[in-house]
Amino acid sequence: MGTLGRAIYTVGFWIRETGQALDRLGCRLQGNYYFQEQLSRHRTLMNIFDKAPTVHKEAFVAPSASITGDVQVGQYSSIWYGCVLRGDVNSISVGSGTNIQDNSLVHVAKSNLSGKVLPTIIGDNVTIGHSAVLHGCTIEDEAFVGMGATLLDGVYVEKNAMVAAGALVRQNTRIPSAEVWGGNPARFLRKLTKEEIAFIPQSATNYSSLAQAHAAENAKDFDAIEFEKILRKKFARRDEDYDSMLGVVRETPQGVTLNDDVIPNKAPKAS
């Protein structure tokens, strides 16, 4: 970081410190009533010790997700609502095109009983289902972890392998390529079909596309959101045939273009 960068960082630091000081002063002035206000102190990206998250500019991180410490998120990856990636005592690496779905938890282990260092490494085009728990494990490219699955320290999931929903994979288990493992404790169930193997990267691609839509919506400013609320309220129940029967004419305000997603159930007219 050059001289200018350090100066900008310092100014930013003191502005934030001033804001926190004003907040504390306000709480003291409010006395016993300040606790009634629900002030969220959530930060999507947060440093811990000397470690800071690194997120690619073309990755999507949902506003309610929490990424803390030594975490890297690659291009076109998506971290969905309610996820926690906590890289405090070790590192977390998420490759490109990977999706970690809602309410999943990714953590690390400093080391196991034998002294082996256990970061969490997730490859490219991996799908992690909702509410999965990954702890100090490695997942190779184009693997699939089902909803609610738990992977403990030292687990290794090879490329094109699948962990079934709800599975508990015990420590140091290795799941070979093209196999499905499930149950508690997880065990080999069967081989994957060619169609299922092809589905894994396709699932990751689908989520990358979906993440772009969510990113665009989250990037809208307050005025744009409020304006769309008004449009939806005004046109939500628009039925051209019914309006025609009643003789009602609904006109779109001049200069306003209504997208298909603004008017629910809008279908193109047959020519």
Side-chain angles (χ1 to χ4, degrees):
M1 185 184 291
T3 303
L4 179 60
R6 285 196 297 271
I8 293 173
Y9 174 85
T10 302
V11 170
F13 173 82
W14 284 113
I15 289 174
R16 294 176 66 187
E17 284 293 311
T18 302
Q20 292 180 17
L22 289 172
D23 179 52
R24 291 192 293 270
L25 174 61
C27 289
R28 285 198 294 270
L29 292 175
Q30 289 178 309
N32 293 330
Y33 296 98
Y34 81 91
F35 68 90
Q36 297 177 8
E37 296 183 24
Q38 300 300 314
L39 299 178
S40 173
R41 301 183 184 278
H42 170 75
R43 283 191 283 167
T44 302
L45 304 178
M46 190 177 80
N47 298 2
I48 187 73
F49 309 129
D50 59 341
K51 302 169 183 177
T54 302
V55 178
H56 195 280
K57 64 180 180 180
E58 293 181 359
F60 168 66
V61 178
S64 59
S66 180
I67 300 179
T68 303
D70 190 1
V71 181
Q72 293 186 353
V73 179
Q75 186 177 26
Y76 304 130
S77 286
S78 52
I79 312 299
W80 290 83
Y81 305 93
C83 287
V84 175
L85 280 68
R86 181 155 60 91
D88 43 14
V89 297
N90 217 319
S91 63
I92 297 172
S93 175
V94 179
S96 301
T98 288
N99 62 91
I100 301 178
Q101 297 172 17
D102 315 69
N103 296 320
S104 292
L105 168 65
V106 183
H107 193 220
V108 292
K110 192 170 185 179
S111 62
N112 60 11
L113 293 176
S114 63
K116 182 180 179 181
V117 177
L118 292 173
T120 295
I121 302 171
I122 304 171
D124 300 336
N125 301 316
V126 174
T127 290
I128 307 296
H130 312 284
S131 300
V133 178
L134 311 181
H135 200 277
C137 57
T138 298
I139 303 173
E140 289 190 349
D141 299 346
E142 299 182 5
F144 189 100
V145 177
M147 295 182 288
T150 300
L151 279 62
L152 300 180
D153 292 355
V155 168
Y156 196 102
V157 182
E158 294 184 1
K159 182 175 181 177
N160 293 331
M162 180 178 289
V163 179
L168 173 62
V169 187
R170 293 185 293 186
Q171 293 180 348
N172 303 316
T173 301
R174 190 179 188 98
I175 299 180
S177 178
E179 292 186 2
V180 184
W181 283 51
N184 181 4
R187 63 190 185 281
F188 170 73
L189 298 180
R190 61 177 176 83
K191 289 284 189 178
L192 283 167
T193 65
K194 290 182 179 179
E195 292 76 16
E196 288 170 332
I197 291 174
F199 165 76
I200 295 175
Q202 184 59 50
S203 171
T205 300
N206 293 343
Y207 256 90
S208 291
S209 299
L210 185 59
Q212 292 178 19
H214 282 258
E217 186 66 30
N218 278 282
K220 291 178 181 176
D221 59 26
F222 179 79
D223 290 338
I225 294 170
E226 290 301 306
F227 181 64
E228 286 194 1
K229 282 182 182 178
I230 294 170
L231 292 183
R232 284 192 173 92
K233 185 175 181 180
K234 184 170 183 179
F235 295 100
R237 293 185 176 86
R238 185 167 85 168
D239 184 321
E240 294 179 357
D241 294 333
Y242 183 69
D243 287 349
S244 177
M245 254 187 354
L246 297 179
V248 175
V249 178
R250 301 178 192 264
E251 294 183 355
T252 303
Q254 186 176 4
V256 174
T257 301
L258 292 177
N259 298 325
D260 290 348
D261 63 341
V262 175
I263 307 177
N265 303 320
K266 179 183 176 184
K269 291 184 177 179
S271 55

